[in-house]
Amino acid sequence: MPRPAPAQTSEGGQFVGRRRELKELRADIDRAGLDTISGRKAPRARVLLIAGRPGSGRTALAEELARQVADDYPDGMFRAQLTEPDGTRVPTERTARELLDALKVPAPAGADEDELAEVLREALSGRRALLLLDDAADAEQVDPLLPDAPECLVVAVSQGPLTGIPDVRPCTLGGLDTAAGVELLSRAAGPVRITVDPRSAESLVEACAAHPASLVLAGGWLSGRPKAAVADLAKQMHDRPDDDSAPGALSRMFQLSYTSLPGAAARILRYLSLAPAGYVDPHTASALAGCSVSAARTTLDDFVKLGLVRAVDSSLPQYEVPACLVPLLRARTESQDRAAEVQLARARMLERTVRLLQSCRAITEPDSSGARKKLAGLPRALRFPHPGAAAEWLHVRRPALLAAARLAVADGELDTLARRLMAALTRALVAHRGTEDAAPDLYGIHRLVLDVAERRNLPREKAAALLNLADLDARTGRTQEALVRYRLALDAGREANDPYATGRAMESVGGAHQELGDWSRASDWFGRALAHRLARGERTDAARLYGRIATAHTYAGRYGEALRNWSSAVTGYRKVGDVAGQARALSELARVQEYAGRPEESLRTCQEAGEWARQADDVRLQAALQLRLADTLDRLGDPAAARLHRSAAERMLETEAEEVRGLASKDSKDGPGASACEIRSASAED
């Protein structure tokens, strides 16, 4: 996700101050390392450390350095955030995957931390790239991400030293010099009052300890009060006592900004500390505060002017709460709001997220579907004008949505709201991105559920999560891993006395063995699943399992067993009235009869299958059967009849292709003409 302009840049993006630090950092890039001095080639990338308190402009300095040296690293600059706004460490696995995504390097959905770190090092090998690792907690977070490529540069941002990483070059930040502090203040507050009273401006910079984030707040405070004198604010800052729980210039300046807000705005600001990953949009603020979307957006824009939040460069309205303010906001929430009120605000936010995700998925459904009919009943602010707008919203909000999923189960619960959020997020991701593309995100979601289920001993939820994870393993080629998880899911399903999970796990174990080429175990497990389905009277699933057993026997060359099971599948589909299923089963029966050297029987079965396919209106199956008849007739020595069947198959496929083209043409004429990627009518009331 694009990051907002940091506090130490102007609105136009021009960097303020830190000339000495920049000069030293650039010199450190070229300075000989310990390996070079000892005559050895540097085995890893050069690591520069920019250390300072949150709000000191450390990220701004790192970004400015990256901008200045960008031409020396033609393979690009890649960045990652290693700590959440609430101080939670970001797992190395997630960071490595984000960097690989930026590098456009695929990685297995279920790969662990070590695998992903190795893939990342291989991806950076031979490149001249720059990595910006922001807000690192310690060396253990940084070390696995370091490229084994001396041509690369790593710029790490942290609050303290990175003890344990050899030859790291530290640059520790204090306050800005007075001239740079006055310049930053002038850009935030406007130049007039600063120019006419430079001594007071310098006094205000001193009162703010030349701390960039404090100066941005001071400038915002002044910009919101055109008649206030700089000297008045400087005096208030000098006279105001420190807050015992959060001493320092930033805390004092925040108190001044916060206490000047109207009550409703102050409440919205406090609740922004609950926003997942620190990212806020008007819907999030609206749900947290219980106000309209339009009122929330207006308030957020006002906060931007005051320096309390930052606008993110994005195609949709998006804001970020500065990480240095999150602890101060949380302290206010704890002291001023009852726990029940905070819990209700969080529930409103998650409920709004669920409804937006449901809307995001529903817009991809056909117009006549039940989901689209439900969508029409939602408030306009929760509806998307077309699938493109929904996909854009899902892309922009993805980091916050995944963080919301983590938040929903952070307290170790899987209540109704958390379950609905997980399900809605999963379905929206699959609808817009497909299972394979969304697999890494889906893997993370299902692992969250599994972690909670294991901690709280919830076998039913554990079985469901294991089945979902195993399905993702199977789809991404990790069949052995899938087999292990299917067996664990079977154990959990039996413990929970969950017949659905038990039956599906048995069948999936068989499918994994079949994928691995173990036909005997595959047919055995399909047989167990069949007995389970028959005992429960699930005849449609039983018919399908007869087909799976037959397929395993066919692969193993046991055609007699395959024929018996396909015949049972045909009988099963006929008893439940599944015409299409009966046609498909007869088609497969004909195929095995041909393999078994019974061409006349195959011919008769194929003709019967064609009749059922016609009744099922399955044109593709009819065409495939016509081609199979043609091949069989060729082998039986009747080429003339074979040509007739091939011609019939071609006509069927041509007719179907024309119908598909006609539908596509109609859709292109009747489809939405809007191209805006925004939720419609964001100004509407909820």
Side-chain angles (χ1 to χ4, degrees):
M1 168 173 288
R3 289 183 61 83
Q8 206 170 313
T9 61
S10 70
E11 292 182 2
Q14 184 178 352
F15 188 76
V16 177
R18 305 294 191 195
R19 293 184 179 87
R20 178 183 57 81
E21 291 89 342
L22 277 167
K23 183 178 179 181
E24 291 177 356
L25 285 165
R26 296 199 63 171
D28 279 337
I29 296 174
D30 300 322
R31 193 168 295 156
L34 297 177
D35 289 287
T36 304
I37 293 171
S38 62
R40 299 190 302 268
K41 182 180 178 181
R44 306 183 86 179
R46 171 61 50 87
V47 181
L48 302 182
L49 169 63
I50 299 176
R53 292 178 299 160
S56 62
R58 54 188 187 168
T59 299
L61 178 58
E63 290 175 335
E64 177 63 14
L65 175 65
R67 186 192 67 78
Q68 291 188 11
V69 302
D71 291 343
D72 297 330
Y73 298 92
D75 292 316
M77 190 272 277
F78 306 93
R79 68 179 304 157
Q81 190 78 17
L82 304 189
T83 304
E84 300 277 16
D86 63 358
T88 303
R89 295 163 60 101
V90 175
T92 301
E93 174 189 330
R94 196 197 317 165
T95 303
R97 193 174 291 283
E98 289 174 357
L99 290 169
L100 287 168
D101 286 344
L103 286 160
K104 302 190 185 312
V105 175
D112 61 19
E113 175 182 315
D114 292 338
E115 291 178 88
L116 290 168
E118 181 61 31
V119 175
L120 178 62
R121 284 191 289 271
E122 290 177 3
L124 291 168
S125 177
R127 301 197 193 205
R128 286 188 63 85
L130 190 155
L131 266 61
L132 199 167
L133 305 179
D134 198 3
D135 206 2
D138 50 41
E140 284 70 24
Q141 271 193 309
V142 174
D143 188 65
L145 305 172
L146 296 182
D148 290 332
E151 298 82 9
C152 291
L153 174 67
V154 175
V155 180
V157 174
S158 180
Q159 191 163 349
L162 296 179
T163 305
I165 296 180
D167 205 23
V168 66
R169 304 300 175 91
C171 174
T172 303
L173 299 186
L176 294 169
D177 61 76
T178 303
V182 170
E183 184 179 355
L184 181 59
L185 186 64
S186 174
R187 289 177 177 177
V192 176
R193 281 177 289 179
I194 306 301
T195 303
V196 300
D197 193 357
R199 289 187 179 277
S200 293
E202 291 176 359
S203 177
L204 180 54
V205 169
E206 179 189 354
C208 290
H211 188 268
S214 303
L215 290 169
V216 169
L217 289 180
W221 190 93
L222 289 169
S223 67
R225 295 164 181 77
K227 296 183 179 180
V230 177
D232 292 337
L233 179 56
K235 185 175 186 306
Q236 289 187 61
M237 278 292 289
H238 279 293
D239 295 344
R240 193 174 190 90
D242 269 340
D243 185 338
D244 292 337
S245 61
L250 178 61
S251 177
R252 295 200 305 275
M253 191 60 241
F254 171 76
Q255 290 177 52
L256 283 171
S257 297
Y258 176 82
T259 54
S260 65
L261 294 174
R267 181 170 177 269
I268 293 178
L269 182 63
R270 291 196 305 273
Y271 282 177
L272 293 186
S273 64
L274 305 176
Y279 290 112
V280 187
D281 69 348
H283 273 284
T284 304
S286 161
L288 285 169
C291 65
S292 70
V293 177
S294 59
R297 180 165 186 182
T298 299
T299 303
L300 288 169
D301 288 335
D302 290 341
F303 288 162
V304 172
K305 296 172 185 174
L306 294 172
L308 293 165
V309 302
R310 303 168 184 151
V312 176
D313 183 13
S314 169
S315 57
L316 295 175
Q318 185 92 331
Y319 307 83
E320 185 187 41
V321 183
C324 60
L325 298 185
V326 171
L328 301 174
L329 292 173
R330 293 202 166 184
R332 289 280 176 174
T333 302
E334 291 171 3
S335 63
Q336 295 184 233
D337 298 287
R338 295 195 300 269
E341 292 175 333
V342 175
Q343 186 176 5
L344 179 60
R346 183 181 281 114
R348 284 197 306 265
M349 176 184 66
L350 295 177
E351 177 66 34
R352 176 73 60 87
T353 304
V354 170
R355 296 177 75 189
L356 284 166
L357 285 166
Q358 291 171 339
S359 175
C360 180
R361 173 179 175 267
I363 195 66
T364 66
E365 298 287 325
D367 291 341
S368 59
S369 68
R372 288 296 289 268
K373 291 176 182 176
K374 289 182 180 178
L375 178 62
L378 290 176
R380 285 195 304 164
L382 299 180
R383 299 201 302 265
F384 297 90
H386 53 84
E392 176 69 7
W393 174 82
L394 186 65
H395 172 72
V396 169
R397 292 291 293 164
R398 174 179 161 270
L401 292 169
L402 294 172
R406 295 190 292 271
L407 174 67
V409 298
D411 57 358
E413 295 289 344
L414 275 176
D415 59 16
T416 303
L417 184 54
R419 295 172 198 267
R420 290 173 58 225
L421 176 61
M422 298 292 191
L425 180 53
T426 299
R427 290 167 183 160
L429 287 168
V430 172
H432 286 279
R433 298 174 55 191
T435 301
E436 186 173 348
D437 186 36
D441 290 344
L442 299 177
Y443 214 92
I445 294 167
H446 297 316
R447 271 212 311 215
L448 282 173
V449 177
L450 179 60
D451 289 343
V452 176
E454 289 178 335
R455 287 201 310 269
R456 295 182 57 79
N457 191 27
L458 304 172
R460 185 184 298 271
E461 287 76 8
K462 181 179 178 180
L466 284 165
L467 284 170
N468 288 325
L469 287 168
D471 287 345
L472 288 170
D473 280 330
R475 288 171 184 166
T476 54
R478 297 163 60 88
T479 311
Q480 287 287 2
E481 291 84 349
L483 180 57
V484 171
R485 282 203 165 101
Y486 284 135
R487 295 295 297 265
L488 292 172
L490 177 59
D491 293 340
R494 286 170 171 165
E495 182 184 352
N497 195 24
D498 184 341
Y500 169 78
T502 301
R504 188 156 102 68
M506 286 179 179
E507 183 174 351
S508 298
V509 169
H513 280 302
Q514 179 172 300
E515 186 67 24
L516 293 169
D518 191 340
W519 319 121
S520 295
R521 282 194 174 91
S523 58
D524 176 58
W525 278 100
F526 289 146
R528 299 185 196 189
L530 173 62
H532 179 80
R533 299 291 189 184
L534 289 172
R536 293 178 51 78
E538 297 168 351
R539 294 187 296 173
T540 300
D541 286 318
R544 179 175 49 75
L545 279 161
Y546 276 122
R548 298 204 74 174
I549 294 170
T551 299
H553 284 308
T554 301
Y555 282 132
R558 296 190 290 266
Y559 298 132
E561 291 292 329
L563 290 170
R564 280 192 290 275
N565 279 281
W566 276 124
S567 296
S568 297
V570 171
T571 302
Y573 283 123
R574 183 171 64 248
K575 286 182 177 179
V576 299
D578 186 345
V579 175
Q582 187 176 347
R584 290 191 299 272
L586 282 165
S587 171
E588 293 303 319
L589 177 61
R591 185 197 303 274
V592 179
Q593 286 171 336
E594 190 170 340
Y595 292 161
R598 305 177 186 179
E600 291 84 359
E601 290 181 28
S602 176
L603 188 64
R604 289 193 296 272
T605 304
C606 213
Q607 290 169 336
E608 183 184 356
E611 283 299 312
W612 288 107
R614 184 181 58 77
Q615 291 185 37
D617 198 25
D618 190 335
V619 177
R620 286 187 176 275
L621 181 56
Q622 290 180 70
L625 288 164
Q626 291 288 343
L627 291 173
R628 187 175 301 160
L629 283 168
D631 291 341
T632 304
L633 287 166
D634 270 335
R635 280 189 287 275
L636 290 173
D638 192 348
R643 283 194 297 272
L644 290 175
H645 284 289
R646 285 197 178 90
S647 297
E650 290 172 2
R651 287 195 300 273
M652 290 176 183
L653 293 174
E654 286 175 1
T655 301
E656 186 188 37
E658 289 176 2
E659 290 176 355
V660 170
R661 284 194 295 269
L663 287 172
S665 175
K666 182 179 184 299
D667 287 344
S668 66
K669 292 178 181 177
D670 298 343
S675 60
C677 293
E678 295 186 6
I679 300 174
R680 76 163 74 221
S681 189
S683 62
E685 299 288 330
D686 287 317

